[in-house]
Amino acid sequence: MVEPLAARLRAMNEFEEIPNKKPGEETSDNWPELGASFPLNAFYRQFDGAEGWLGESYFTMWSRKEISEFRDPNLEAYPERYSFFGSDGGGTQFGFIVTSEGVQFCSAPDIGAEEDVRVLGDWKEFISSIKTCDYI
């Protein structure tokens, strides 16, 4: 299904500050259970990853393929309820968890365990944490 132009423009503006977005093909949402307005669903309907400096931090949003390839090896350290989609390219990965408070974005070391996860908040708080290098 093709989104209306207004929705596509909103999504483009919402992700304007994310560097070096890679064009993607319109496909189904990665996380359909979270709805069309979930920021990552909106992002991946437009793009297939991104990477570069976002404020003080390097930020990579993995491609759809990288997300799926990363899932199985990561289950040894982090329970399945964590969904990881990116990294800082230097030992920290980014993901989210669905809680009773809604979707909470988080950071976790590449080599670690669940107690090492740091919850950063909603999408806007998450992006702010990346920009200020306040996610470790």
Side-chain angles (χ1 to χ4, degrees):
M1 179 174 121
V2 176
E3 286 183 285
L5 179 58
R8 292 174 63 103
L9 290 173
R10 252 192 329 275
M12 288 174 64
N13 289 334
E14 182 174 355
F15 304 116
E16 185 175 326
E17 62 191 338
I18 295 177
N20 304 314
K21 295 174 285 295
K22 299 171 188 161
E25 296 179 16
E26 291 226 7
T27 59
S28 60
D29 292 339
N30 280 10
W31 301 276
E33 69 280 7
L34 298 177
S37 63
F38 177 55
L40 293 178
N41 283 337
F43 178 85
Y44 284 104
R45 278 195 301 275
Q46 300 291 317
F47 311 104
D48 191 34
E51 69 177 292
W53 289 97
L54 181 60
E56 298 178 20
S57 304
Y58 197 81
F59 180 48
T60 300
M61 291 182 72
W62 300 328
S63 69
R64 288 174 178 264
K65 181 180 178 188
E66 290 169 319
I67 291 169
S68 66
E69 289 173 350
F70 185 78
R71 185 77 207 126
D72 288 339
N74 205 32
L75 285 175
E76 292 179 29
Y78 301 103
E80 191 172 345
R81 68 180 176 265
Y82 292 95
S83 297
F84 292 97
F85 62 88
S87 77
D88 68 354
T92 300
Q93 58 197 358
F94 302 117
F96 67 89
I97 183 171
V98 178
T99 70
S100 60
E101 298 170 14
V103 175
Q104 298 290 301
F105 289 87
C106 58
S107 64
D110 289 342
I111 300 173
E114 187 172 14
E115 59 269 7
D116 299 318
V117 171
R118 180 171 176 213
V119 175
L120 303 170
D122 66 18
W123 178 254
K124 289 183 190 239
E125 293 166 319
F126 168 71
I127 293 298
S128 178
S129 295
I130 302 286
K131 289 165 85 172
T132 60
C133 203
D134 183 27
Y135 56 85
I136 298 173

